[in-house]
Amino acid sequence: MTVQSTNRTDNLAAAADPEAAVSVPPPGTPQAPPPAGLLRFPLLRSSRFRLAVRRLLTAIPVVWGVTFLGFTVLNLLPGDAAQALLGADATPQEVAKLSHQLHLDQPFFTRYWNWLTSALSGHLGNSLGSGQQVTAILVQRLPVTFELLLYAFIVSLLIAIPVATFAARKPGGIFDSITTFIALVGLSVAPYILALLLILFFAVDLSLFPALGWTPISGGLGSNLRSLTLPALSLGFPIGCFYTRLLRADVLEQLDEDYVVTAHAKGLPGWRVLLRHATPNSMFGLITVVALNAGTFLGGTVIVEQIFGLPGIGEELFQAIQTRDSPVLEGIVVVFAVLVVVIGLLADLLYAALDPRIRYDNPGQ
Amino acid sequence: MAAVLLCAAAVAACSGKSTTGAAGPGGAAGGASATPGPQNSATPKPGGSFTMLEETGLTGAWPTGLDPATDGNGSANQSYLNAIYGNLFELGANGQTINDLATGYTITQDGKTVTIHLRQGVTFSDGTPFNAAAVAFNFKRDLASTVGDKPNWPVSSISTSGNYDVVIHLTQAYAPIINTFHDSNVNWIASPTALQKMGENAFKLAPVGAGPFTVVSDTVSSELVLKKNPHYWAKGQPYLDSLTFKSVASDEAALETMQAGGVDGYEGMQTPQLVSAFGKQFNVLDVPSTSPYVIQLNTAIAPFNNLNAREAVYYATDVNLIDQRLFGDLHPVTQGFTAPNGLFYEKSVPGYRTYDLAKAKAAVKAAGGVTVDLMATQSSVTQTVLEALQTMWQAAGMKVNIHVNQLANVIQQFQGNKWQASLQTAGAFDPAAGLGVNFRFGSKSVFSGVHDPKLDTMFANATSTLDNAKRGQLYNQAAEYISQNAYAPFLFPVNGWNIAAKNVSGPGLTTLLPASAVRPEILWAQVGFTGQ
C-alpha cells in the first residue's frame, strides 16, 4: 500500500481501505498507449471501477468465510433444529425422525457443502421451520430493515453534522458543553433502554408515535414514517452521538489548519469558513467510521426490531438462531456480509468524490 | 368435592351415550377454588378490528407455521389455531366439554371405541365440506406427525361411519380421550383439499380451516392478520371483522404498547409486579395454571438415589415463603401434580414433608452431605426461584450450584441423564393428557427423574379407568406414593393474566376458562367490543 500524503484524512481513508492506494500523480507522467479490447470503454479503465471489481472479488472469500463461521457456530450450540422446532415434549424418536427428514443427521461438512452448492446456484434453501424459501423471507423482510437503517442513518447524520459543527465553533461554550454532555449520555445508554424511554414519552405520554409494528408505504408515507420514527431514533441517536464526538474533534482540527487561517486573513466570514471549508474537510473521518461501524449498525437492528415488533431481517435472525434454522441464518449472514462490503466500497468511492486529488491505483502498476 | 362432581361426569361417560353439550369427563375442574379477576361477560356488538399482543418467547412464536400436524409450538399457538380452525371440542367454564365443530361423542362400555359426531352443513373457508372423511384424514395425519402435542391415544385404527361420524378404535380403554382434545393437535381440523392443492409448505403459512377467521397475511412469528370467515357455521359470529396478532418482546413492552393505544389485548402476562399497572387502565383476568412447578430429583444417580438427600430437599424448601416474597402470595401452594383449576385437585397430600430446617440439617447429615447442581429452563420465574432455593438449601447445609439454561441445553441434560435436580412444571388439566404426569414421573420418559414400576402401574391404571371418581382416587394415591418416597417436592402453579381493554368481552379473555395446555383457550368467535 502506498500513501502519498501526510494529510490525516487520507490516513483515515487508508485505514478504511487497506486495499487501496491513495496517490497524487506526479507531474510529467508519460501518456500510456491507447487501450485495446474492453479497456476502450472509459468506465472500465477508471480506477474507481477497478477498485469496485477488486473489492467485490475480495468479498467472495469474506462472504464464504462468514457463512462457514455461521454454520459452524450454529452447529456448536447445544440442541439441534429438530429439537428446537418440536419443543421440549417431543420424544427422542420424534426428534430423530424429523432430523432425518431435514437431513440434519448428515455430517457437518456434507450439510454445509450441500447448502453452499445450492447457494451458488442461486437457491438459498428453505427455512427448516416454516418451509418458506429463504429468498422469499429476505424479500419479505429486507425492505423493513433497509428502511429502518436508512432512516436511522439520516437521523444520526442530522444529529451529528449540525451539532458537531456548531459545537466546534466555540469549544467550551454553552452549546458545546450541553451537547457534549448529551452526547456522552447518548453514548452510555443502551439502545433497548433508550427505546423503552422513547416509547414511554412519545408513544404512551404524548401519543405521537405507535409503540409497536410497522406500516408499509402502501399504507401511507406518513403512517410509514411514524411507525419507524421511534425505532430509527433508538438506533440512530446513540450512533449520532458517537459521530458528533468524532466530527467535532475533526472540525476543531481543521480549524487549526493553515488554509483556515488564510481564509480568515482573506476576510471570509467565520460561519462561511466553518460551513464551506472546515466541515466538508472533516467528513473523511466520519465516512471512515460509518464504514467501519456498518456491522454494529446492522447488529443493532436485531434488538430494535424485537422491541418495536418490526417484521425485519433482524427479528428473523433472532428467531433463526433460536430455532437453529441454518438456511435462514446463512441467508441473512450473506446479506449482512455483502452489505458491509458494499458500504465499505461506497465509503472508498465517496473519498474520491469529496477529494478529487485522491486516485485509487493498484500499487503494483 | 372433586369426587362428587366427577361422578356426574362419569355417569355420562360410562353410559355409552354422551349427549350434546353435556359435561364430559372434564366436569370436575375446581374452578370454584380459583381466584378470578374482574370479568366482563357482556355480549359484544358485531364489528371492529381487534389487535392482540402475544409474547415473543412463547405464544408469539410460530416458527414452524400453523398447520396442526407440523406446528411444533401448537399448545402455545392455540389462540391462532382456534381462530383459524375452530375446535372440535372446547373446554368451558368449570371444566365442561363444550361442543364446537363436533356435536358430541359416544364411548362404548369397554371404552375401546370412541365415536365423534360432527356438525352437519359446515364448510371449510375454501368451500369444501367439513365431514367425517376430512376429520379422519386429519386424525391420521396428526397421529403420524412428529409434533409434541399429538395425543398419546392407544389407537388401532380410525374409520368413518356415514358422513358425520368418525370412529376411533383403541387397543385398550383410554379414559382421558376427550380431554386430550383440549391440548392436542387433533382438535384443529385442516381442509384436506386446500392442503393437497397448496402443498404443505404453502399451507402452513396460509392455512385453511372451518374456524371463525381466515388468514389475510402471515409474517412468521411477527404478525398474523385474520379476517372474519363469512361462511362460519355459527350465525352472527364471529363478532369481530378482523383480528390481528402481534408479537411483543416482553410484558413491560406490552404494557407500554397497550398504554400507547391501538391494541386491545395481551395474552398470558407473567409478571406479578405489573398486575396493578395493567389494572389501572385495563381488565386483568387472573388465569390459574394447571401445571404446578416441581423440583425434579434424578433418583437414578447420586445424590438423590439416597432417600435422606431427597428428604433434605423437601424439609429445606419453604414454599410458602417463596410464594410470599417473590409472588406476593398470589399462587396456591400445592403438594402434588394437580392444581386448583385442573382435574382431581388435592390440596393436601397425607404425610407430605413440609419445611423444617432442623430436619433438613439432620437429613443432610444422614446423607453424608449433599452437593447438588440445580437447573431450570430460562424464564423470569425460574431465575428468582432458583436463587431462593439455593439460599434455603445452603441454610440446611447443602452445597448448591444453580444453572439457568436455554431449553435446548436443558433437553440435552435430560437426554444425557447426568442432571441432578431440575425446576420444571408438571401436570395438565387432565393429568394423563398433554404434558401430563407421566412426562415428569414415568419410567419411559427421558424427562423423568423417577424410574419406579409401581408408580408406572398406578398411572396406567388411572389412565384406563373410565370411572372418573376412581381415577381421582388413583391419582391421589399416586401423589401420596410420590410424597412417601420423596421423589419430588412441589411448589405452586404460576398464574398468568389475560389483559383486555375495558370495552372488550370474550370467553377466556375476560371470563375465566380452565387452562387446557399452556394457557386457557380464548374462544375468538365470541370475542368482541361491547361499546362500553
Side-chain angles (χ1 to χ4, degrees):
Chain A
M1 184 177 75
T2 311
V3 181
Q4 297 178 352
S5 170
T6 54
N7 192 317
R8 178 178 176 276
T9 54
D10 291 340
N11 283 328
L12 280 168
D17 174 29
E19 290 285 309
V22 183
S23 64
V24 179
T29 304
Q31 289 290 316
L38 283 174
L39 292 179
R40 283 176 298 149
F41 298 102
L43 174 69
L44 301 185
R45 284 206 310 275
S46 78
S47 60
R48 289 176 200 175
F49 177 77
R50 289 204 299 275
L51 171 74
V53 171
R54 276 208 310 277
R55 264 310 171 82
L56 293 175
L57 288 175
T58 312
I60 293 172
V62 172
V63 173
W64 171 80
V66 292
T67 62
F68 184 75
L69 197 65
F71 213 87
T72 307
V73 169
L74 204 62
N75 200 59
L76 290 174
L77 290 174
D80 63 11
Q83 185 72 69
L85 294 170
L86 291 176
D89 44 346
T91 65
Q93 292 76 22
E94 288 163 351
V95 174
K97 187 178 172 185
L98 185 61
S99 288
H100 184 69
Q101 285 172 7
L102 298 174
H103 308 296
L104 298 172
D105 51 356
Q106 292 179 350
F108 169 79
F109 284 106
T110 308
R111 283 187 287 129
Y112 180 68
W113 179 252
N114 288 342
W115 176 83
L116 189 64
T117 49
S118 174
L120 288 173
S121 65
H123 182 57
L124 289 172
N126 291 58
S127 162
L128 298 179
S130 67
Q132 266 183 301
Q133 282 195 355
V134 173
T135 43
I137 293 173
L138 295 176
V139 167
Q140 185 183 32
R141 290 181 177 262
L142 269 176
V144 183
T145 302
F146 278 153
E147 204 185 338
L148 170 64
L149 284 171
L150 183 65
Y151 197 171
F153 183 58
I154 291 170
V155 164
S156 69
L157 292 186
L158 286 177
I159 292 168
I161 294 173
V163 171
T165 303
F166 289 103
R169 190 162 174 252
K170 280 189 181 173
I174 292 176
F175 184 77
D176 184 38
S177 301
I178 291 172
T179 54
T180 298
F181 175 75
I182 293 172
L184 285 173
V185 171
L187 280 168
S188 312
V189 176
Y192 67 91
I193 299 285
L194 180 63
L196 294 176
L197 291 173
L198 289 172
I199 291 172
L200 261 178
F201 189 67
F202 289 107
V204 177
D205 289 346
L206 301 178
S207 299
L208 287 175
F209 302 102
L212 187 78
W214 175 71
T215 306
I217 294 176
S218 58
L221 183 61
S223 300
N224 171 256
L225 291 177
R226 275 188 75 232
S227 70
L228 280 176
T229 296
L230 296 186
L233 274 173
S234 305
L235 195 58
F237 183 73
I239 292 178
C241 291
F242 176 49
Y243 293 166
T244 303
R245 299 293 301 150
L246 182 97
L247 189 60
R248 175 189 169 276
D250 278 354
V251 174
L252 280 176
E253 193 175 318
Q254 288 295 318
L255 288 174
D256 283 341
E257 293 286 332
D258 291 344
Y259 73 88
V260 172
V261 177
T262 307
H264 282 303
K266 284 186 172 181
L268 280 178
W271 63 267
R272 188 163 179 180
V273 174
L274 184 69
L275 296 181
R276 294 287 299 275
H277 299 282
T279 302
N281 279 318
S282 307
M283 286 295 162
F284 288 92
L286 184 63
I287 294 167
T288 305
V289 171
V290 166
L292 292 174
N293 223 20
T296 312
F297 210 42
L298 285 168
T301 62
V302 177
I303 295 171
V304 170
E305 287 181 2
Q306 283 288 322
I307 294 172
F308 288 96
L310 302 180
I313 212 74
E315 188 192 53
E316 183 70 29
L317 177 66
F318 183 75
Q319 291 165 15
I321 293 169
Q322 283 197 316
T323 55
R324 312 288 189 269
D325 198 337
S326 53
V328 173
L329 179 91
E330 291 293 281
I332 295 170
V333 160
V334 167
V335 169
F336 276 16
V338 169
L339 269 177
V340 170
V341 169
V342 168
I343 290 170
L345 175 63
L346 288 175
D348 290 339
L349 297 176
L350 209 53
Y351 293 142
L354 283 173
D355 186 350
R357 294 173 304 160
I358 294 176
R359 190 163 61 85
Y360 293 99
D361 280 332
N362 188 328
Q365 285 181 336
Chain B
M1 181 190 79
V4 174
L5 288 169
L6 279 169
C7 285
V11 169
C14 297
S15 68
K17 291 287 179 187
S18 176
T19 53
T20 304
S33 56
T35 312
Q39 305 206 5
N40 180 2
S41 56
T43 304
K45 293 176 179 174
S49 296
F50 193 101
T51 300
M52 185 75 176
L53 298 179
E54 303 284 345
E55 204 260 320
T56 310
L58 184 62
T59 54
W62 60 99
T64 48
L66 297 170
D67 176 349
T70 57
D71 183 356
N73 216 15
S75 298
N77 293 160
Q78 62 182 3
S79 253
Y80 321 125
L81 299 168
N82 290 348
I84 296 165
Y85 298 105
N87 297 304
L88 287 176
F89 297 105
E90 295 166 355
L91 186 58
N94 299 315
Q96 285 183 316
T97 292
I98 296 173
N99 302 313
D100 185 355
L101 287 165
T103 55
Y105 59 90
T106 309
I107 302 177
T108 55
Q109 291 287 354
D110 64 359
K112 289 186 177 179
T113 306
V114 180
T115 304
I116 308 294
H117 311 296
L118 302 177
R119 191 171 297 282
Q120 300 187 22
V122 176
T123 59
F124 291 105
S125 59
D126 63 351
T128 56
F130 172 87
N131 55 25
V135 174
F137 169 84
N138 273 267
F139 281 1
K140 289 174 187 173
R141 186 165 172 265
D142 292 340
L143 291 167
S145 70
T146 53
V147 296
D149 69 334
K150 67 178 180 182
N152 297 314
W153 296 345
V155 67
S156 61
S157 65
I158 288 169
S159 62
T160 58
S161 173
N163 276 339
Y164 297 102
D165 284 342
V166 182
V167 187
I168 305 164
H169 305 276
L170 304 172
T171 56
Q172 62 188 71
Y174 188 66
I177 189 161
I178 297 303
N179 286 341
T180 60
F181 278 90
H182 303 310
D183 56 15
S184 68
N185 59 356
V186 288
N187 211 20
W188 301 299
I189 305 300
S191 161
T193 310
L195 182 64
Q196 198 173 20
K197 197 182 286 181
M198 297 165 73
E200 267 197 11
N201 281 347
F203 185 86
K204 59 172 86 166
L205 296 171
V208 176
F213 294 92
T214 62
V215 178
V216 175
S217 68
D218 178 3
T219 308
V220 174
S221 299
S222 183
E223 184 179 82
L224 177 69
V225 182
L226 308 176
K227 68 175 181 183
K228 183 178 188 167
N229 175 7
H231 307 296
Y232 187 57
W233 64 269
K235 295 296 173 204
Q237 292 180 4
Y239 296 114
L240 297 169
D241 291 333
S242 67
L243 172 61
T244 300
F245 294 98
K246 286 185 177 180
S247 299
V248 66
S250 64
D251 290 343
E252 290 81 2
L255 173 62
E256 290 184 333
T257 304
M258 287 197 70
Q259 286 175 333
V263 171
D264 308 292
Y266 178 43
E267 186 175 7
M269 203 275 291
Q270 285 283 304
T271 311
Q273 292 81 0
L274 294 180
V275 170
S276 61
F278 273 108
K280 285 176 186 168
Q281 285 177 261
F282 311 105
N283 274 334
V284 178
L285 181 69
D286 188 359
V287 179
S289 164
T290 53
S291 301
Y293 269 93
V294 59
I295 303 165
Q296 287 187 272
L297 305 174
N298 190 349
T299 59
I301 61 170
F304 297 118
N305 53 0
N306 181 332
L307 178 64
N308 285 317
R310 300 200 298 270
E311 283 186 321
V313 168
Y314 270 75
Y315 287 131
T317 306
D318 191 344
V319 184
N320 287 303
L321 190 64
I322 294 174
D323 192 23
Q324 284 167 14
R325 295 288 169 85
L326 298 182
F327 302 102
D329 218 5
L330 282 168
H331 308 309
V333 169
T334 54
Q335 297 183 346
F337 47 80
T338 56
N341 211 33
L343 287 178
F344 315 127
Y345 174 56
E346 188 185 30
K347 189 175 182 182
S348 301
V349 174
Y352 190 90
R353 296 169 185 82
T354 52
Y355 176 69
D356 188 327
L357 189 58
K359 285 183 179 177
K361 287 179 177 174
V364 170
K365 196 175 176 184
V370 176
T371 301
V372 56
D373 282 325
L374 172 63
M375 70 170 180
T377 312
Q378 191 170 31
S379 82
S380 57
V381 171
T382 54
Q383 177 71 50
T384 50
V385 173
L386 242 58
E387 286 167 5
L389 290 172
Q390 185 183 37
T391 306
M392 288 174 175
W393 293 2
Q394 283 174 342
M398 290 185 251
K399 291 177 183 170
V400 187
N401 304 308
I402 57 173
H403 312 274
V404 179
N405 298 322
Q406 295 291 321
L407 176 63
N409 195 262
V410 170
I411 290 168
Q412 258 192 352
Q413 296 284 325
F414 273 114
Q415 288 172 338
N417 202 27
K418 301 290 184 200
W419 63 279
Q420 295 177 337
S422 179
L423 179 69
Q424 299 292 337
T425 55
F429 171 73
D430 184 315
L435 287 185
V437 67
N438 258 310
F439 189 71
R440 298 291 178 202
F441 290 93
S443 294
K444 290 180 181 173
S445 168
V446 292
F447 303 99
S448 166
V450 180
H451 308 278
D452 186 333
K454 192 174 175 186
L455 191 58
D456 290 340
T457 306
M458 293 170 106
F459 290 147
N461 289 340
T463 303
S464 59
T465 300
L466 292 175
D467 182 328
N468 271 351
K470 284 182 183 169
R471 268 192 87 202
Q473 287 170 4
L474 289 169
Y475 279 123
N476 291 345
Q477 286 169 15
E480 201 172 331
Y481 184 77
I482 289 170
S483 170
Q484 279 169 6
N485 289 281
Y487 278 149
F490 291 87
L491 303 180
F492 35 72
V494 172
N495 294 4
W497 292 270
N498 282 347
I499 317 292
K502 296 278 188 190
N503 63 339
V504 166
S505 166
L509 186 55
T510 60
T511 58
L512 184 65
L513 295 178
S516 50
V518 179
R519 300 271 159 75
E521 294 172 299
I522 293 174
L523 305 180
W524 285 107
Q526 298 167 52
V527 172
F529 296 102
T530 57
Q532 293 170 356

